[in-house]
């Protein structure tokens, strides 16, 4: 069946990155995007781009299924971390292409994912899943310091912290549990540079180098595509990521696997059953000519992938980071940054009037630049220069 003219249903959206691009890609493929959302106002692009919206309780699987049945879509997907599994299960019930919902759900639970990988022999840090602060401190002592504590669900480095002793582990576990986490993952800290591997249908598309902010947090501050490492290193990272994806049963579509290159080789930190965030897909397209967003749309609609386009060979992502808390009073320089040499994309994730607080997560990134170049140094230099043109003024306000 041809997907031309049919409805492509998107179950919620991510608020930064590729949500808007998903809808644009569906339209470019001749389909009509429809956004299902509890609160479409969270996605300003929906109004700006004239996206059809349906308001419903998207946490209710039956309500989602009934809405999709009425819409009779040719495809269903989600760009939101929290709705990928429900989108997959709804697609399956309607006989539409999609990943295995159970496999996606295994990824959404970091402790389950760890257990699956350990059983399959995929290299992962030593870990323990705990439900109490004292238990967290005990697990950390058994594993050996330093350790990393994180919620078993979530993304964007939210709640992730390095702990150097039992008191820190106990205190951070108490905070995570009081914030609503029922279970906390305690794992050995792996020393070494951080990478991600972007795969599609179980094949490596790109190995990406990550830049991470200062400890004890793990906020990503930039990316380089492809990672400037020897070919053998890239091959080892890619092969480990493919093993991790297969062990979870994710043979379909996009996956974003994060790894550390430890003293003994690659170690899997986590597998995400979706495209990467942080504008990595835009950088992959600029560097390699592979449009991962379009591939997701085409795969879900049963259409052939587009051929690889001409590309620069290298790309870099750099972010404007929150420097101080307060209210945003001005956002300037976006047009200048977009016009700078080699720039492929510029986005802002804040606006005048927003109140900003330091979260030590992706929410501390206020704007993003993707730039391309003929080599890693040129791409990085262009991205950094364009980022410096963006001026986001934050005035301190009383707490």
């Amino acid at each position: 069946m041809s997907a031309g003219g049919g409805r492509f249903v998107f179950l919620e959206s991510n608020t930064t990155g590729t949500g808007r691009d998903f809808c644009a890609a569906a339209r470019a493929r001749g389909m009509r995007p429809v956004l299902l959302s509890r609160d479409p106002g969270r996605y300003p692009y929906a109004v700006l781009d004239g996206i059809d919206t349906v308001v419903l309780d998207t946490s209710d699987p039956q309500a989602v299924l009934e809405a999709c049945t009425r819409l009779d879509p040719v495809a269903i997907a989600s760009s939101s971390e929290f709705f990928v599994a429900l989108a997959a299960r709804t697609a399956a019930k309607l006989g539409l292409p999609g990943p295995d919902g159970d496999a996606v759900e295994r990824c959404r639970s970091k402790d389950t994912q760890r257990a699956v990988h350990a059983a399959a022999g995929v290299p992962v840090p030593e870990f323990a899943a705990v439900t109490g602060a004292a238990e967290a401190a005990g697990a950390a002592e058994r594993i050996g310091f330093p350790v990393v504590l994180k919620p078993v669900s979530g993304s964007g480095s939210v709640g992730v912290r390095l702990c150097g002793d039992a008191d820190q582990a106990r205190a951070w576990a108490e905070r995570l549990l009081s914030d609503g986490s029922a279970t906390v993952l305690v794992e050995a800290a792996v020393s070494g540079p951080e990478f991600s591997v972007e795969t599609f249908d179980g094949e490596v598309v790109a190995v990406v180098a990550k830049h991470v902010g200062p400890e004890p947090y793990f906020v990503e501050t930039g990316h380089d595509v492809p990672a400037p490492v020897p070919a053998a290193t890239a091959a080892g990272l890619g092969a480990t990521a493919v093993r991790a994806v297969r062990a979870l049963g994710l043979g379909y579509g996009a996956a974003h696997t994060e790894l550390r290159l430890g003293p003994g080789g690659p170690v899997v930190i986590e597998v995400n059953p979706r495209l990467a965030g942080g504008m990595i897909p835009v950088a992959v397209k600029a560097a390699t000519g592979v449009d991962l967003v379009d591939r997701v749309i085409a795969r879900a609609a049963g259409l052939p992938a587009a051929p690889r386009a001409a590309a620069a060979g290298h790309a870099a992502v750099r972010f404007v980071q929150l420097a101080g808390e307060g209210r945003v009073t001005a956002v300037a320089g976006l047009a200048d940054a977009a016009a700078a040499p080699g720039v492929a994309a510029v986005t802002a994730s804040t606006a005048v009037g927003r109140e900003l607080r330091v979260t030590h997560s992706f929410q501390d990134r206020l704007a993003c630049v993707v730039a391309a170049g003929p080599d890693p140094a040129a791409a990085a230099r262009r991205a950094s220069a364009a980022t410096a043109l963006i001026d986001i003024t934050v005035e301190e306000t009383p707490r």
Side-chain angles (χ1 to χ4, degrees):
M1 179 179 67
S2 170
R7 293 186 179 93
F8 196 124
V9 167
F10 294 100
L11 182 57
E12 295 290 357
S13 172
N14 55 354
T15 53
T16 61
T18 54
R20 187 177 198 175
D21 295 340
F22 269 45
C23 290
R27 276 183 168 164
R29 286 280 188 166
M31 291 171 284
R32 181 178 172 183
V34 180
L35 176 64
L36 306 188
S37 176
R38 181 196 294 266
D39 179 14
R42 297 180 63 231
Y43 316 117
Y45 74 81
V47 173
L48 293 173
D49 298 347
I51 305 299
D52 293 341
T53 59
V54 177
V55 180
L56 76 161
D57 181 1
T58 48
S59 66
D60 182 345
Q62 186 60 33
V64 170
L65 178 61
E66 291 174 358
C68 288
T69 300
R70 290 193 299 270
L71 290 166
D72 189 24
V74 295
I76 301 170
S78 179
S79 62
S80 168
E81 171 86 15
F82 304 99
F83 290 90
V84 175
L86 180 54
R89 289 188 168 124
T90 305
K93 289 175 181 176
L94 295 180
L96 299 173
D100 181 276
D102 291 340
V104 173
E105 201 64 55
R106 283 193 288 274
C107 293
R108 292 284 301 126
S109 177
K110 292 180 173 63
D111 54 338
T112 301
Q113 184 180 139
R114 279 278 185 272
V116 170
H117 282 152
V122 175
V124 293
E126 185 178 354
F127 70 96
V130 302
T131 57
E135 188 183 1
E141 289 181 325
R142 288 194 304 275
I143 291 170
F145 295 101
V147 294
V148 176
L149 268 66
K150 63 181 71 171
V152 295
S153 63
S155 63
S157 301
V158 175
V160 183
R161 191 186 194 282
L162 185 73
C163 297
D165 57 42
D167 289 340
Q168 289 181 0
R170 184 181 296 104
W172 193 248
E174 286 177 349
R175 176 168 174 175
L176 293 177
L177 294 166
S178 66
D179 286 345
S181 297
T183 305
V184 172
L185 193 65
V186 182
E187 61 186 30
V190 180
S191 62
E194 189 167 346
F195 299 87
S196 71
V197 176
E198 314 311 319
T199 55
F200 198 88
D201 284 353
E203 297 184 357
V204 175
V205 176
V207 177
V208 181
K210 290 180 176 288
H211 299 265
V212 181
E215 296 177 351
Y217 303 101
F218 297 87
V219 180
E220 295 171 1
T221 60
H223 309 282
D224 298 320
V225 184
V229 296
T233 301
L237 289 162
T240 303
V242 169
R243 286 179 60 199
V245 168
R246 288 177 177 167
L248 291 163
L250 288 173
Y252 171 103
H256 167 67
T257 303
E258 299 177 350
L259 310 95
R260 285 256 181 181
L261 186 57
V267 178
V268 174
I269 303 302
E270 65 183 51
V271 176
N272 300 279
R274 53 168 173 79
L275 282 184
M279 299 297 281
I280 289 175
V282 177
V284 169
K285 181 180 178 181
T288 71
V290 175
D291 188 341
L292 284 169
V293 173
D294 178 73
R295 283 200 177 186
V296 169
I297 298 304
R299 187 76 165 84
L303 300 173
R308 185 187 295 257
H314 296 270
V317 182
R318 297 294 184 268
F319 299 102
V320 177
Q321 302 287 136
L322 175 62
E325 298 185 339
R327 179 180 290 110
V328 178
T329 58
V331 177
L334 297 177
D336 290 339
V343 170
V346 175
T347 63
S349 53
T350 193
V352 172
R354 296 266 180 90
E355 288 285 347
L356 302 179
R357 296 286 179 255
V358 175
T359 65
H360 302 296
S361 74
F362 75 99
Q363 296 169 0
D364 295 344
R365 303 189 307 225
L366 306 183
C368 173
V369 170
V370 181
D375 56 67
R381 185 171 60 251
R382 290 171 172 179
S384 296
T387 302
L389 299 173
I390 300 173
D391 185 13
I392 298 177
T393 304
V394 179
E395 294 188 357
E396 186 176 353
T397 55
R399 292 190 71 105

